[in-house]
Amino acid sequence: MVPIHPKHILIVGAGSAGKRHLTNLHDLGVPQFSAVDPRADRREELSAQSTVLGAYESVTAALDAAHFDAAIIASPPRFHVEQAQQLLKKHIPVFMEKPLCIGLQEALTLQQTAKSSGTAFLMGYTYRWWPPLQQFRARLDEIGPIRHAKFVMSAHLADWHPWESYQDFFMASKELGGGALLDESHFLDLMYWFFGTPSALFGDATKLSNLDIDSDDNVDIIGFYDDGMRVSIHLDLYGRPHTKLISVTGENGTLEWSFDPNCIRFSNDMSPDWQETSFSYERNEMFVQASKSFLNMLGGTETAPCSLDDGIAVMRMIEAVRQSTAEGRKISLPKGDA
């Protein structure tokens, strides 16, 4: 790929995620942006910024109006594949927010488009850029052969965007790609990043709470690995206080990470006193580092730390959970197949 020095990036989706990417990329030296959003109020808000050259209702309109060096897709998942295909066919590099899309088959269609285009693509499972989790992953060998890992994400949806009704947030809509399984597939990606693809999954994704949504708000998963290791994942959209944690137990101890307090703890004995490493990173740091990777990819100095194939691997696991939910049984996953 010929190195690109981006001067004009298209932000697809002008909600909170799109605005964050715009701010971070501008701080990293990108001078100009345009935006796509179907909502007139969002287009008007961004048009007032001096760094925004144009605001459009659709990707088609944007591509008809201007040339772009790269694009960020931060729209609801329902629209990801169609928008990414339009951009990749024009050889515009793409940084896509998670999840890749709603269903596996459309993800495989996008994979073919990306291969034909030969254009850079970065998948936005941003916890891979979170320094505490990078350190956590690097320390897993300390606890010896791993027997069990637990991932928990519990956070009440009404608290996510306090400036708007949660019913108006795409997360409330199954059709738009909301729900715990898709949006919090961060934790499926972390399982995959730490341990690889499990040989099988048993899962249940459903609606349990009184939230006024039609998407799933409770997900429980057990991952089975060929060496006997087990992984449990719990995701919900109704919990308070908010909890994000990972606990991994091996033959030589237990390693834990929590988001708040932001720390890693280690213990290998019965003492209540854990060895603790605390961190002061702001949450935005992971997004800044992901943006740096994208700019490095455009400049030809880095390959994708989280690729389209990684996003498809997560989609395979999501489909397995859906199938397990429908059939009430453990679902095998293909080996070595992204």
Side-chain angles (χ1 to χ4, degrees):
M1 185 184 75
V2 176
I4 298 171
H5 303 285
K7 297 180 181 179
H8 191 184
I9 289 183
L10 181 66
I11 306 293
V12 182
S16 60
K19 292 173 183 174
R20 180 196 308 117
H21 286 298
L22 189 155
T23 299
N24 289 339
L25 286 162
H26 182 254
D27 290 346
L28 291 170
V30 177
Q32 296 175 331
F33 302 86
S34 287
V36 168
D37 201 284
R39 285 177 47 173
D41 60 327
R42 288 179 174 175
R43 296 197 303 272
E44 291 171 5
E45 180 183 358
L46 283 182
S47 294
Q49 296 190 27
S50 60
T51 58
V52 177
L53 300 184
Y56 307 95
E57 190 172 357
S58 68
V59 171
T60 300
L63 293 175
D64 287 344
H67 166 77
F68 305 101
D69 300 308
I72 310 295
I73 297 181
S75 55
R78 175 188 171 186
F79 308 110
H80 282 186
V81 166
E82 178 184 357
Q83 292 168 339
Q85 286 178 324
Q86 289 181 273
L87 295 160
L88 292 172
K89 287 176 181 178
K90 296 285 189 179
H91 300 283
I92 298 172
V94 170
F95 177 6
M96 182 183 283
E97 274 280 350
K98 53 75 197 164
L100 190 57
C101 53
I102 292 179
L104 177 60
Q105 289 308 309
E106 59 176 339
L108 297 176
T109 300
L110 178 59
Q111 185 182 45
Q112 292 305 312
T113 301
K115 286 181 178 179
S116 298
S117 170
T119 303
F121 187 101
L122 182 64
M123 190 69 226
Y125 281 111
T126 50
Y127 277 106
R128 292 193 183 205
W129 285 271
W130 187 233
L133 285 177
Q134 291 174 335
Q135 185 176 136
F136 185 89
R137 180 175 183 254
R139 292 183 60 182
L140 289 173
D141 286 344
E142 292 180 23
I143 58 177
I146 295 169
R147 302 308 181 203
H148 181 261
K150 176 174 67 175
F151 297 76
V152 176
M153 195 300 300
S154 176
H156 200 288
L157 186 61
D159 303 331
W160 290 26
H161 287 183
W163 59 86
E164 65 179 344
S165 169
Y166 74 82
Q167 292 94 335
D168 296 331
F169 186 17
F170 87 87
M171 278 290 291
S173 169
K174 180 179 179 180
E175 180 183 4
L176 292 178
L181 179 60
L182 279 171
D183 193 76
E184 293 310 309
S185 56
H186 275 300
F187 293 87
L188 284 162
D189 179 68
L190 288 173
M191 174 178 69
Y192 170 69
W193 189 44
F194 290 172
F195 310 122
T197 302
S199 57
L201 287 175
F202 182 86
D204 181 79
T206 191
K207 167 75 163 57
L208 284 185
S209 78
N210 293 328
L211 284 167
D212 183 20
I213 64 176
D214 66 13
S215 56
D216 59 87
D217 62 11
N218 190 94
V219 179
D220 289 293
I221 301 168
I222 301 175
F224 301 84
Y225 284 79
D226 287 339
D227 63 359
M229 183 179 69
R230 298 288 187 269
V231 175
S232 63
I233 300 176
H234 173 79
L235 313 171
D236 74 61
L237 304 182
Y238 52 77
R240 289 182 174 125
H242 294 189
T243 301
K244 295 177 184 177
L245 66 86
I246 303 170
S247 177
V248 182
T249 299
E251 292 287 351
N252 300 322
T254 296
L255 200 63
E256 292 187 348
W257 166 82
S258 64
F259 187 83
D260 187 15
N262 192 1
C263 67
I264 294 173
R265 304 197 307 159
F266 169 78
S267 179
N268 61 357
D269 58 33
M270 289 290 292
S271 168
D273 299 320
W274 292 60
Q275 300 174 30
E276 187 169 299
T277 304
S278 297
F279 302 92
S280 58
Y281 296 99
E282 296 292 333
R283 178 173 176 266
N284 191 51
E285 181 66 19
M286 69 177 81
F287 300 101
V288 171
Q289 294 304 319
S291 292
K292 286 182 179 178
S293 284
F294 188 51
L295 295 178
N296 289 342
M297 289 173 61
L298 299 181
T301 61
E302 187 174 346
T303 57
C306 190
S307 67
L308 175 57
D309 286 348
D310 291 331
I312 289 173
V314 175
M315 289 306 305
R316 290 191 187 280
M317 291 188 280
I318 287 170
E319 288 296 323
V321 172
R322 289 169 170 164
Q323 184 179 354
S324 183
T325 300
E327 300 177 9
R329 65 181 181 91
K330 183 165 64 174
I331 306 299
S332 295
L333 288 159
K335 295 181 182 295
D337 187 359

